Amino acid sequence: VIFRPSPLFHATTIVIAWAVCLAIALNRVEMLCVALPLLVRLMWSPRNLVVDVHTFDLSVEPGTRTEGEQLGITINAVVEQPTGPVEILPIFPFLLTPFHAMVQLPKPDGTVGCQFASACRGAGILYFGAVWFRVWDRSGFWVAETRKERRVTVAVHPRATVIRTLPAPRQPGAPFGLHPSRRLGEGTDFADIRPYIPGDRMRRINWAVSARTGHLHVNQFFAERSAMVILLLDSFSEVGGRPNSSLDHCLRAAAGLAMAYLQHHDRVGLMEFGGLLRWTKPGAGPAQYANILQSLARVAIAPTFLLQDLGALPETMLPRHALIIALTPLLDERFVRTVVRLADQGRDIVLLALRGDELSQAYVPRRADEPLIRRLWLLERDARLRELRGHGVRAAHWSPAMPVDTALQTVSRPAARRRVA
Amino acid sequence: MMRVVGFFAALLIAIAPTLALPDVHVFEAGAVAGLLCVAAALVPSLGLAVFGSTVALLVFATTLLLTPTPNAVFAALLLGLGLLILLNATQFEERFGRSEGKARIVGTHLSTLGTAVLLSIAASLAIAVGATIVAQDLDPSVRTVIAAFGGILVISAMMWKALL
């Protein structure tokens, strides 16, 4: 890498030129005396013709990270023929907190190195690559720059939102879960009272009814089953800027929902529906949660004009009895049409429509921030939600300023449960 | 630290014209140039420093035009040193002001700058004294030609340094 004149060189040259011109124009040798210190400094600056940076290494602390956690990054290199300070200017992903460049004097053997600790502001895959090295000579008149690359990837998982209200599935599946089904069995939700049959458990006897009727009666309960839940993420478009965009809110909510359902022994799968169609097969347990977090970290907005068809997916990917929870800013018509189509197939769908208007306040021009425009937009949105409800979708508004539970409480039950005769 | 050094340089720049010609108006003009240089050191902005330096040069040249004084060479040397320190300090703050690890290189930079200042003083005195002795018996027109030749030589040297 060849040294080039720095801005200081140009500034000094301009001042010297002014002094020399004034000396000649005014015929005053004193003006040359003004330029002399600058000239001596300029001529005295040693110009190294070549400098090189080699043995470059960029390493990141191993392991996955969650939003808000610190990430340690280490950069080491050896500068050949160093003469002055070396600036290290890494190009880090924008999802990390901003940091300042590092400047230091190389050691006698030319080694330079630094450690950065940066917080992960949002979820996603962080790609580390280029680092610029700016080598100065001692005078500051000469500078050389070189770019070194080393590909390093780090997955940052979304921070799971705490969710206490879980939408109950219309058709719970396998036993050993916590969701009450319509069938009678072992559970905690009261269903009915019937006369005692030999073999019934003593603790099920309803003593009040038995005393009133004169015959033994027992309580009946709804059986509790596990559910299969598919989290459907809209990745067609997003509102707001990361790490506070609609996609970020959806990722956090999806992580929270996955955690809550998996803690209830349910099977949870993930489907990213947008420019790319990616899915994680439904599963249960902590390993499945790790899989889902890994998949959520990979979710990205991919603009496309193609129309994907979720209805054409195999049954194993989108089981018919699964509860589908769609998380969307409700901006793309293709996503809405797909949800309607799935609902028309008789699937159990919960849709949380994130209010993008609250996220876009900082980005829209003042003219578009008129209350009337906002009201019209909300009316259109309400109309769309009504249309979705008409197709049997449990749809609710979700304000990013409010907990997700607030929205989930309105859609937690599929329908009024029928009493068992 | 470098801002303090820049402030000191601006002070030198401000008082240099007054040293050449003690006068209220000269002092006011020097103060204006000094304020520009202080602003350049505080912002920091190398462009503003160049502008302030140019204003200071014009003020000093005007002062020399008014009345030649025996202190002019000394004042010119002070002005030159002030400009050298100001440009260095401003560039340092502009480049490394927000960088981590700046404190560790300030000492090295100041020592290099101090050495350069001492060398400049020695070289300037030698050249100024030599030039005064040589120019004593020269015709004014020849002096102008020699000064022009020297100027061209200086510019050529800088071009050679920058481009080759």
Side-chain angles (χ1 to χ4, degrees):
Chain A
V1 186
I2 298 172
F3 275 94
R4 299 193 180 283
S6 72
L8 178 63
F9 181 93
H10 296 299
T12 310
T13 308
I14 290 169
V15 175
I16 292 173
W18 265 107
V20 170
C21 289
L22 286 169
I24 295 169
L26 305 177
N27 196 18
R28 300 294 306 184
V29 74
E30 291 89 346
M31 290 307 294
L32 283 180
C33 288
V34 176
L36 269 175
L38 297 165
L39 198 60
V40 168
R41 180 75 177 119
L42 197 64
M43 291 302 152
W44 184 48
S45 63
R47 177 181 176 179
N48 278 26
L49 286 175
V50 177
V51 67
D52 194 17
V53 176
H54 54 84
T55 330
F56 167 67
D57 183 42
L58 186 152
S59 59
V60 181
E61 278 180 349
T64 53
R65 291 286 179 283
T66 307
E67 273 183 275
E69 287 183 357
Q70 292 280 327
L71 183 67
I73 304 142
T74 309
I75 296 170
N76 287 306
V78 176
V79 182
E80 200 175 300
Q81 297 178 345
T83 55
V86 177
E87 271 186 281
I88 302 171
L89 307 153
I91 302 172
F92 284 165
F94 74 98
L95 282 174
L96 291 177
T97 49
F99 57 92
H100 300 300
M102 172 69 81
V103 60
Q104 58 183 240
L105 284 169
K107 292 173 184 168
D109 58 349
T111 55
V112 288
C114 61
Q115 286 190 329
F116 295 94
S118 193
C120 307
R121 295 191 300 159
I125 304 290
L126 306 182
Y127 295 99
F128 294 86
V131 177
W132 282 93
F133 288 89
R134 190 180 287 156
V135 186
W136 294 82
D137 83 318
R138 280 189 187 278
S139 64
F141 286 118
W142 308 100
V143 64
E145 283 184 343
T146 180
R147 176 189 166 114
K148 295 290 172 183
E149 294 204 7
R150 173 70 51 88
R151 293 279 167 206
V152 179
T153 310
V154 175
V156 178
H157 294 165
R159 187 180 61 248
T161 309
V162 178
I163 292 175
R164 295 185 180 87
T165 308
L166 290 177
R170 203 161 53 197
Q171 297 174 334
F176 312 116
L178 294 174
H179 297 285
S181 71
R182 291 175 185 175
R183 295 181 183 176
L184 298 178
E186 296 295 322
T188 54
D189 279 13
F190 176 78
D192 204 356
I193 298 170
R194 65 167 171 77
Y196 175 80
I197 299 170
D200 281 340
R201 292 182 178 182
M202 290 291 287
R203 64 176 184 168
R204 290 280 174 89
I205 293 174
N206 188 325
W207 294 107
V209 175
S210 301
R212 194 163 59 244
T213 58
H215 299 284
L216 284 176
H217 280 75
V218 291
N219 291 332
Q220 284 185 301
F221 295 90
F222 288 111
E224 289 179 340
R225 299 294 179 95
S226 69
M228 183 174 288
V229 181
I230 302 290
L231 302 169
L232 183 62
L233 266 179
D234 179 358
S235 62
F236 277 108
S237 55
E238 67 178 329
V239 192
R242 299 202 73 184
N244 197 32
S245 69
S246 59
L247 182 66
D248 288 298
H249 285 279
C250 288
L251 291 177
R252 288 167 199 146
L257 284 166
M259 178 192 274
Y261 275 112
L262 288 171
Q263 282 173 348
H264 281 68
H265 311 293
D266 295 324
R267 292 167 64 77
V268 181
L270 174 72
M271 189 159 288
E272 176 193 349
F273 183 49
L276 296 171
L277 181 59
R278 289 188 284 215
W279 61 82
T280 306
K281 283 183 183 177
Q288 179 66 5
Y289 183 59
N291 286 342
I292 287 176
L293 286 182
Q294 195 67 26
S295 302
L296 286 173
R298 251 184 266 124
V299 173
I301 301 296
T304 179
F305 295 103
L306 295 175
L307 180 60
Q308 313 272 11
D309 188 5
L310 283 184
L313 283 176
E315 183 67 16
T316 50
M317 297 297 131
L318 203 60
R320 196 156 287 273
H321 64 277
L323 166 65
I324 299 171
I325 301 181
L327 301 163
T328 171
L330 217 61
L331 294 173
D332 200 287
E333 192 60 36
R334 289 169 291 184
F335 190 85
V336 179
R337 263 186 267 143
T338 304
V339 169
V340 168
R341 187 170 171 192
L342 290 174
D344 290 345
Q345 289 175 356
R347 294 175 190 268
D348 185 13
I349 301 177
V350 169
L351 185 138
L352 294 181
L354 187 70
R355 282 188 56 169
D357 59 317
E358 294 178 9
L359 295 170
S360 62
Q361 286 302 300
Y363 303 94
V364 294
R366 189 175 297 173
R367 192 176 48 187
D369 197 22
E370 288 292 327
L372 182 63
I373 296 175
R374 209 167 158 195
R375 278 174 60 196
L376 282 171
W377 186 82
L378 286 173
L379 281 172
E380 277 182 16
R381 198 178 162 83
D382 282 337
R384 179 161 286 179
L385 282 189
R386 272 200 300 276
E387 179 196 339
L388 285 168
R389 286 181 192 125
H391 285 274
V393 177
R394 289 185 266 164
H397 277 301
W398 167 26
S399 167
M402 302 291 287
V404 191
D405 280 328
T406 314
L408 286 173
Q409 276 165 2
T410 60
V411 291
S412 58
R413 293 285 167 193
R417 198 185 297 138
R418 285 180 300 172
R419 298 281 297 216
V420 178
Chain B
M1 181 65 183
M2 291 307 285
R3 283 177 204 266
V4 176
V5 173
F7 186 78
F8 170 73
L11 196 65
L12 281 182
I13 292 167
I15 62 167
T18 316
L19 285 178
L21 177 63
D23 181 75
V24 176
H25 299 297
V26 172
F27 175 75
E28 287 170 356
V32 170
L35 280 177
L36 281 173
C37 295
V38 167
L42 290 179
V43 170
S45 161
L46 198 57
L48 191 57
V50 171
F51 179 68
S53 305
T54 309
V55 171
L57 283 176
L58 290 172
V59 168
F60 191 73
T62 313
T63 308
L64 289 180
L65 272 183
L66 291 174
T67 318
T69 59
N71 290 334
V73 173
F74 175 65
L77 187 57
L78 272 187
L79 179 60
L81 290 174
L83 294 179
L84 171 67
I85 296 168
L86 174 76
L87 292 177
N88 263 280
T90 309
Q91 191 259 1
F92 185 89
E93 273 299 319
E94 197 177 54
R95 289 289 159 196
F96 308 127
R98 291 180 182 176
S99 302
E100 289 179 30
K102 182 185 81 169
R104 273 169 272 170
I105 63 167
V106 167
T108 314
H109 191 80
L110 281 178
S111 65
T112 312
L113 186 61
T115 313
V117 167
L118 290 177
L119 195 68
S120 301
I121 291 170
S124 304
L125 285 177
I127 292 171
V129 170
T132 312
I133 294 168
V134 169
Q136 267 179 352
D137 298 329
L138 286 178
D139 187 72
S141 59
V142 178
R143 284 172 61 182
T144 309
V145 171
I146 290 174
F149 179 72
I152 291 167
L153 207 62
V154 166
I155 300 291
S156 306
M158 287 190 300
M159 296 289 285
W160 170 79
K161 191 84 176 173
L163 300 176
L164 298 179

